[in-house]
């Protein structure tokens, strides 16, 4: 019995962010 | 398992939500664009899902698979996966009508040929001005546009917020332009508070189309730097930089620091997303952390705790071999920065601040220290709230029993 590998796709998080 | 145990009716077609398919050779990304839930399937698996979506019953799809590939398929496991991913629709549940994407036309305009021409002119102007007049060259001392240090802190923080929002807006607009939805949240990376745009739908567009949305944020930062440099040059007093000009150059330096920060890839910055896209990875950071944990458990002789590398995506497994050490190096840099520079500087600063509350400090000094402390405490409060929120979200995160995550 063939089991098909189903994988969750990755998430794409784009960020932008300390300073005297 | 025997299909007689199945909780799915093998002889009735399933209702599926509307799915998109991105064929990438050996693998196919399949998902719902309306809720941004995507999965990666081998070619035969995706072909099977297409059959189910076209109205074949599970029994018919199973027979089709056997005829096509010469072996029986565990159709029930596939159905469980589709259910976990939210692809199945209850019979009485109406098909989701996709709402049109807002700001798509604005996204097209911001990245139109005319806009690129305008950006090229601005960059060219800024570069030529800087070459001709070296007082425009970015330098750390440009931060000190006034002698009031708290004022520097407050102004740069107040200006950073709209600039960071523009950075994120450029990501979102570049995504909207090609039909990818986005959401904006506040997040954290190690000890940095960040704004975060989710563009999960990028996994379902061809890879070469992903690069502009990924790089658009840093592009916005550099565009801001160019515009402010030109502004500083245009507001001179008798050839010398005016107060406005000095303020512009202080903002320029802070903006360039934010671009440099993006290269701290181990904090999962835009540069990290770029690297993992080039390498064709699915979740490089998590895989690299699992690889490190495996080495740790092996050292301690705890084979029962090992994560199974066979379950990792091949591209992630390959890259994690070297990337995991870069994470260790990166965290070492960040932690030693805090220990050897952050803490001594903070100590000096706070000693100065509390000095203003004792003895006969002037009203200005006291005010200066109060504002400084309020800013600092505000940041600590937001950071604490983020830690609590992330913990709560992690507890609510759904676990997958069939889908590999």
């Amino acid at each position: 019995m063939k089991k098909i590998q189903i994988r969750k796709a990755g998430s794409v998080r784009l960020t932008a962010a300390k300073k005297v | 398992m025997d299909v007689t145990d199945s909780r799915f009716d093998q002889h009735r077609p399933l209702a599926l939500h509307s799915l998109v398919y991105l064929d990438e050779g050996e693998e196919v990304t399949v998902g719902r664009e309306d809720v941004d839930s995507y999965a990666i399937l081998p070619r035969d698996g995706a072909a099977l899902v297409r059959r189910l979506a076209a109205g074949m019953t599970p029994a018919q799809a199973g027979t089709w698979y056997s005829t096509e590939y010469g072996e029986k398929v565990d159709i029930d496991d596939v159905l469980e996966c589709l259910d976990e991913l939210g692809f199945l629709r209850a019979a009485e549940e109406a098909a989701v009508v996709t709402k049109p994407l807002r700001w798509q036309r604005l996204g097209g305009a911001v990245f139109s040929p005319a806009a690129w021409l305008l950006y090229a002119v601005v960059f060219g102007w800024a570069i030529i001005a800087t070459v001709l007049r070296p007082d425009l060259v970015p330098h750390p001392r440009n931060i000190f546009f006034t002698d009031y240090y708290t004022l520097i802190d407050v102004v740069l923080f107040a200006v950073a917020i709209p600039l960071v929002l523009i950075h994120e807006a450029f990501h979102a607009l570049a995504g909207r332009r090609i039909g990818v939805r986005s959401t904006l949240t506040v997040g954290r990376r190690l000890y940095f508070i960040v704004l975060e745009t989710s563009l999960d739908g990028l996994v379902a567009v061809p890879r070469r189309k992903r690069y502009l949305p990924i790089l658009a944020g840093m592009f916005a930062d550099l565009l801001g730097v160019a515009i402010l440099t030109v502004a500083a040059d245009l507001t001179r007093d008798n050839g010398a930089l005016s107060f406005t000009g000095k303020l512009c150059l202080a903002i320029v330096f802070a903006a360039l620091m934010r671009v440099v920060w993006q290269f701290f890839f181990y904090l999962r910055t835009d540069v990290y997303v770029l690297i993992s896209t080039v390498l064709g990875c699915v979740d490089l950071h998590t895989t690299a952390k699992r690889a490190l944990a495996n080495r740790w458990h092996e050292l301690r002789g705890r084979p029962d705790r090992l994560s199974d590398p066979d379950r990792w995506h091949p591209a992630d497994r390959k890259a994690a071999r070297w990337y995991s050490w870069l994470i260790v190096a990166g965290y070492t840099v960040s932690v030693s920065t805090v220990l050897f520079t952050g803490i001594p500087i903070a100590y000096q600063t706070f000693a100065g601040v509390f000095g203003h509350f004792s003895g006969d400090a002037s009203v200005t000094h006291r005010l200066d220290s109060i504002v400084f402390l309020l800013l600092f405490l505000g940041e600590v409060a937001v950071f604490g709230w983020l830690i609590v929120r992330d913990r709560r979200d992690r507890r609510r995160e759904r676990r997958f029993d069939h889908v590999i995550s």
Side-chain angles (χ1 to χ4, degrees):
Chain A
M1 183 83 102
K2 171 84 180 279
K3 193 176 159 85
I4 291 181
Q5 276 209 340
I6 299 182
R7 181 185 301 280
K8 185 102 180 83
S11 56
V12 180
R13 301 287 148 82
L14 298 159
T15 61
K18 288 217 178 291
K19 310 164 293 299
V20 175
Chain B
M1 70 176 277
D2 189 332
V3 288
T4 50
D5 297 338
S6 171
R7 64 190 184 91
F8 297 99
D9 185 338
Q10 300 296 313
H11 300 288
R12 282 182 57 178
L14 293 155
L16 268 78
H17 285 282
S18 174
L19 298 176
V20 292
Y21 300 83
L22 173 71
D23 196 328
E24 296 193 289
E26 288 305 302
E27 293 180 329
V28 181
T29 301
V30 180
R32 276 179 68 178
E33 276 186 321
D34 54 336
V35 293
D36 276 337
S37 170
Y38 301 93
I40 299 167
L41 286 81
R43 291 176 70 96
D44 57 339
L48 187 65
V49 172
R50 281 181 186 275
R51 294 293 179 293
L52 291 166
M56 268 191 184
T57 66
Q60 289 168 332
T63 308
W64 171 83
Y65 188 95
S66 304
T67 316
E68 188 75 15
Y69 299 101
E71 59 181 324
K72 283 190 71 165
V73 65
D74 185 345
I75 190 92
D76 229 65
D77 183 61
V78 172
L79 299 180
E80 291 286 1
C81 284
L82 294 179
D83 196 26
E84 284 183 357
L85 291 160
F87 293 178
L88 295 186
R89 187 155 61 89
E92 66 279 7
E93 189 184 350
V96 175
V97 179
T98 312
K99 277 185 268 184
L101 208 49
R102 295 167 60 191
W103 309 111
Q104 193 159 7
R105 285 184 57 179
L106 180 60
V110 168
F111 298 101
S112 64
W116 284 116
L117 186 64
L118 181 65
Y119 303 150
V121 169
V122 171
F123 279 114
W125 187 349
I127 290 167
I128 291 168
T130 304
V131 169
L132 294 178
R133 290 177 283 278
D135 60 356
L136 296 171
V137 174
H139 190 281
R141 67 171 169 261
N142 294 354
I143 289 280
F144 302 94
F145 63 93
T146 160
D147 290 335
Y148 295 97
Y149 288 177
T150 297
L151 189 62
I152 294 173
D153 220 20
V154 171
V155 168
L156 289 184
F157 179 66
V159 174
I161 290 174
L163 288 180
V164 164
L165 283 170
I166 290 171
H167 172 115
E168 295 302 316
F170 264 58
H171 283 307
L173 287 170
R176 302 270 165 137
R177 173 176 165 266
I178 54 173
V180 174
R181 277 155 210 286
S182 53
T183 51
L184 180 66
T185 53
V186 179
R188 73 188 174 85
R189 293 285 189 274
L190 200 57
Y191 45 76
F192 296 96
I193 297 171
V194 298
L195 282 183
E196 192 171 77
T197 297
S198 295
L199 282 173
D200 291 348
L202 273 188
V203 297
V205 301
R207 205 191 297 188
R208 63 189 163 71
K209 285 188 167 179
R210 295 173 206 166
Y211 293 117
L212 181 61
I214 291 169
L215 291 169
M218 284 194 283
F219 176 76
D221 291 337
L222 293 174
L223 185 62
V225 163
I227 291 171
L228 287 162
T229 301
V230 171
D233 195 36
L234 291 178
T235 53
R236 288 172 185 275
D237 274 340
N238 297 325
L241 288 167
S242 64
F243 177 76
T244 308
K246 286 177 179 169
L247 177 60
C248 286
L249 292 183
I251 298 166
V252 161
F253 190 78
L256 284 173
M257 287 293 99
R258 286 195 294 274
V259 174
V260 168
W261 179 85
Q262 295 287 351
F263 286 84
F264 288 46
F265 55 88
Y266 52 92
L267 300 175
R268 283 175 297 132
T269 60
D270 295 358
V271 170
Y272 160 76
V273 177
L274 181 68
I275 293 171
S276 89
T277 303
V278 169
L279 295 171
C281 290
V282 175
D283 189 349
L284 177 56
H285 189 81
T286 303
T287 306
K289 284 206 298 193
R290 284 175 182 166
L292 284 173
N294 275 0
R295 287 191 193 113
W296 172 245
H297 294 315
E298 275 168 4
L299 280 176
R300 293 174 63 229
R302 297 293 302 268
D304 53 307
R305 295 199 159 190
L306 293 179
S307 154
D308 179 4
D310 285 345
R311 285 175 65 87
W312 305 345
H313 188 273
D316 287 349
R317 194 170 47 221
K318 195 175 157 193
R321 260 179 238 152
W322 52 271
Y323 186 80
S324 53
W325 296 111
L326 287 182
I327 290 185
V328 174
Y331 275 113
T332 307
V333 168
S334 276
V335 170
S336 33
T337 304
V338 170
L339 287 179
F340 298 117
T341 63
I343 290 177
I345 289 172
Y347 176 77
Q348 270 187 16
T349 308
F350 280 98
V353 164
F354 288 116
H356 287 167
F357 288 121
S358 56
D360 47 2
S362 70
V363 174
T364 340
H365 272 142
R366 279 171 197 248
L367 182 65
D368 183 275
S369 294
I370 288 170
V371 173
F372 178 87
L373 275 180
L374 284 177
L375 266 183
F376 175 76
L377 291 174
E379 208 168 334
V380 170
V382 170
F383 192 78
W385 171 72
L386 287 172
I387 289 178
V388 171
R389 187 201 64 176
D390 289 349
R391 271 201 178 167
R392 200 187 53 200
D393 287 354
R394 252 202 301 276
R395 247 180 275 143
R396 287 181 186 172
E397 217 171 53
R398 61 166 311 173
R399 302 273 169 231
F400 291 106
D401 296 318
H402 298 270
V403 175
I404 302 171
S405 64

